[in-house]
Amino acid sequence: MTTAVKIENLTKIYGSRSATDKAKKMLEAGKTKEEIVKQTGATVGVHNANIEINQGETFVIMGLSGSGKSTMLRMINRLIEPTAGKISIFGEPVTGTSKDKLRQIRREKVSMVFQNFALFPHKTILENTEFGLEIQGVGKAERQKAAEKALENSGLLTFKDQYPNQLSGGMQQRVGLARALANDPEILLMDEAFSALDPLIRRDMQDELVELQEKLNKTIVFITHDLDEALRIGDRIALMKDGEVVQVGTGEEILTNPANDYVERFIENVDRSKVLTAEHAMEKPKFLLNVERQGARMALRRMEEEDYTFLMVINNKRELLGYVRGTDVAAYVKKNRNQEQLSVASLIRTDQPVVAPDTSINEIYDVMGNANMPISVVDEGGHLLGMVSSKMVINSLATDTDEDNNNNEETVNATHTAEEEVTNA
Ligand code: ADP
Ligand code: MG
């Protein structure tokens, strides 16, 4: 494994020379950040950090506000000058190197992604994507090529000649991310890049980043104060407190084996149940049968096509009514061959296992043991939210927040005409 970023005994103290010297001595004597600022006026930003970030990993630095995350990140490319310690990038020293060399590293190896993904309204999507390269002085042809490549990676190339207002808010954000990636740095530094986004778009961007990362295999150092986000995107996570790194590990290691009380409290504070519940393990069912709009022949055809042995049944309000079995529907259709409209209403079974969205994965395990079909996740109003299979439970335990795929559900409306076709055939 190649080390992309190596951080050794790194310290940053903010303050005058004399205050910093005093603060250093106090740190050595084991004084706290609070005592130090009181006595000297100097603030400990980062204290004696040691981290190795591997090439190709998404490394998350997490911690409360003021814990030293930004200071740490900005020391990696020396936007902030360290007080003590060493940093190297792919084996090359960043600390103690010449200004020229540093400039080269910033241009070729490391790039900083800022929070603002806003686009220029009067530039096209392509021009917007080129912009970062343009201000670096990259020539037109070269930057256009790079921008097109970045848009292609994000599946946005078809929009390149459109203007931002022709795209949804979420898509615009994705263009912003493509712009950040267009200069193709080996290491990306992202400081709370998604924190200002509204929650749904934020989730999209997290997914987008994970997807892009699978393709691009960059080294990403991502800062967040949000555990959910850290677990979703991070291969490993470093947790900081008062300038110190208190634990480094995978999300699972940190959740199951918090290094100390602080980590434990941090995890509890962020509502651990949110991480491992039915809601997080469930998937949207691939096909639902709306009993008010779709009949037995549609059901049968669908089950044959998808090789399902049963279908979940809902009504127009998306309330879960139960399920129908393939064998029941087949026999029914055969028996009533001559009838045009055939409803599955009389065939609905109701012994399906059901849980609430906030049911913990542990409880679902118990339910699963007795069930021979996926478990339905239903809200208080009886609406079907999703399905959890044993595979999904295991996945969610392995990765903590394996996200459901929101795009694979066929809408009831779209299949309505198909039902008419089948009926009329
Ligand atoms: P985070 O990004 O985790 O919120 P920061 O790295 O911004 O934390 O800050 C770490 C500590 O350093 C905080 O106590 C903060 O007040 C202090 N700090 C940050 N920047 C400066 C600065 N330019 N001058 C003095 N203190 C600073
Ligand atoms: Mg910060």
Side-chain angles (χ1 to χ4, degrees):
M1 212 170 337
T2 311
T3 301
V5 181
K6 188 165 185 181
I7 293 171
E8 293 170 273
N9 306 320
L10 194 65
T11 295
K12 173 67 189 182
I13 299 166
Y14 294 102
S16 68
R17 185 70 165 272
S18 64
T20 302
D21 285 343
K22 269 187 229 153
K24 268 196 211 161
K25 293 213 177 74
M26 287 182 76
L27 275 176
E28 277 161 30
K31 302 290 184 200
T32 65
K33 173 175 169 166
E34 204 182 336
E35 290 170 316
I36 292 169
V37 71
K38 255 193 211 142
Q39 273 196 34
T40 69
T43 302
V44 178
V46 169
H47 177 217
N48 201 28
N50 287 282
I51 299 176
E52 279 188 34
I53 299 170
N54 300 319
Q55 179 172 32
E57 82 175 329
T58 305
F59 190 92
V60 174
I61 301 176
M62 182 171 69
L64 301 176
S65 174
S67 59
K69 306 180 296 292
S70 295
T71 303
M72 180 86 89
L73 193 79
R74 283 155 179 264
M75 282 194 286
I76 292 176
N77 62 354
R78 272 178 61 196
L79 284 177
I80 290 177
E81 201 59 50
T83 306
K86 282 204 279 188
I87 300 158
S88 60
I89 287 178
F90 293 115
E92 283 192 70
V94 173
T95 38
T97 195
S98 71
K99 280 233 162 70
D100 276 350
K101 188 80 199 160
L102 187 60
R103 230 174 280 133
Q104 189 202 341
I105 290 173
R106 285 185 191 155
R107 201 172 49 233
E108 293 170 9
K109 300 262 159 69
V110 197
S111 105
M112 189 94 171
V113 177
F114 294 98
Q115 213 175 62
N116 193 351
F117 292 113
L119 305 178
F120 297 106
H122 301 303
K123 286 181 186 284
T124 63
I125 297 305
L126 183 64
E127 287 163 353
N128 266 292
T129 312
E130 280 174 46
F131 183 70
L133 295 163
E134 190 177 344
I135 53 174
Q136 280 179 35
V138 176
K140 181 87 184 162
E142 191 185 334
R143 68 176 192 248
Q144 223 167 41
K145 206 171 138 206
E148 284 183 354
K149 179 93 190 293
L151 287 173
E152 191 177 4
N153 279 328
S154 304
L156 295 164
L157 191 57
T158 47
F159 304 102
K160 71 178 173 128
D161 296 323
Q162 300 199 9
Y163 288 87
N165 68 3
Q166 295 174 279
L167 271 60
S168 71
M171 299 250 273
Q172 291 179 31
Q173 297 295 328
R174 285 171 51 203
V175 174
L177 188 59
R179 177 179 61 196
L181 293 170
N183 68 336
D184 204 26
E186 292 178 53
I187 301 171
L188 271 150
L189 308 177
M190 303 179 77
D191 192 348
E192 308 244 5
F194 301 155
S195 297
L197 303 176
D198 84 56
L200 282 179
I201 292 181
R202 184 171 180 171
R203 283 279 291 272
D204 270 359
M205 289 288 273
Q206 291 163 356
D207 292 347
E208 174 81 6
L209 185 68
V210 169
E211 233 170 81
L212 277 171
Q213 173 65 344
E214 277 168 14
K215 264 187 254 175
L216 304 177
N217 209 29
K218 300 286 176 194
T219 304
I220 300 176
V221 189
F222 190 102
I223 287 183
T224 183
H225 58 262
D226 182 71
L227 177 65
D228 244 9
E229 184 164 81
L231 292 170
R232 191 164 288 128
I233 67 173
D235 295 314
R236 287 192 303 150
I237 298 167
L239 187 59
M240 291 190 71
K241 178 188 183 247
D242 293 343
E244 296 191 17
V245 176
V246 288
Q247 186 169 9
V248 179
T250 63
E252 209 169 310
E253 280 163 4
I254 287 180
L255 283 181
T256 52
N257 217 343
N260 59 28
D261 285 358
Y262 175 77
V263 180
E264 199 154 2
R265 258 179 291 129
F266 188 90
I267 292 167
E268 275 165 9
N269 278 346
V270 217
D271 190 2
R272 183 175 184 166
S273 67
K274 255 169 104 184
V275 179
L276 295 171
T277 63
E279 198 171 14
H280 285 76
M282 73 186 182
E283 280 184 355
K284 291 266 164 75
K286 237 180 142 188
F287 183 76
L288 298 170
L289 193 77
N290 182 338
V291 69
E292 295 179 48
R293 314 182 67 151
Q294 299 166 307
R297 289 186 183 88
M298 182 71 220
L300 194 59
R301 183 168 123 149
R302 211 22 93 143
M303 283 187 278
E304 279 168 5
E305 270 173 15
E306 303 289 340
D307 209 15
Y308 292 164
T309 55
F310 65 92
L311 271 186
M312 303 314 292
V313 181
I314 55 168
N315 60 15
N316 273 341
K317 284 187 255 164
R318 210 191 166 90
E319 287 158 348
L320 178 65
L321 305 179
Y323 68 100
V324 289
R325 282 167 61 161
T327 46
D328 290 351
V329 180
Y332 187 66
V333 169
K334 201 171 165 197
K335 198 170 125 205
N336 299 288
R337 204 175 295 123
N338 302 323
Q339 271 186 51
E340 267 196 16
Q341 294 295 329
L342 271 188
S343 169
V344 298
S346 62
L347 304 175
I348 297 174
R349 296 168 181 258
T350 55
D351 59 344
Q352 72 280 0
V354 170
V355 298
D358 59 356
T359 310
S360 75
I361 293 292
N362 285 342
E363 285 171 79
I364 293 178
Y365 246 148
D366 297 339
V367 179
M368 198 150 274
N370 306 319
N372 51 10
M373 64 192 292
I375 293 168
S376 303
V377 184
V378 169
D379 71 9
E380 284 170 6
H383 306 100
L384 181 62
L385 303 175
M387 308 289 297
V388 184
S389 68
S390 54
K391 186 178 127 242
M392 292 176 225
V393 168
I394 289 159
N395 279 348
S396 77
L397 284 174
T399 63
D400 289 315
T401 54
D402 201 6
E403 211 34 65
D404 49 321
N405 182 352
N406 285 323
N407 300 324
N408 60 1
E409 185 190 9
E410 290 182 44
T411 67
V412 174
N413 284 340
T415 51
H416 184 51
T417 42
E419 156 69 349
E420 286 162 357
E421 267 170 42
V422 177
T423 315
N424 296 335

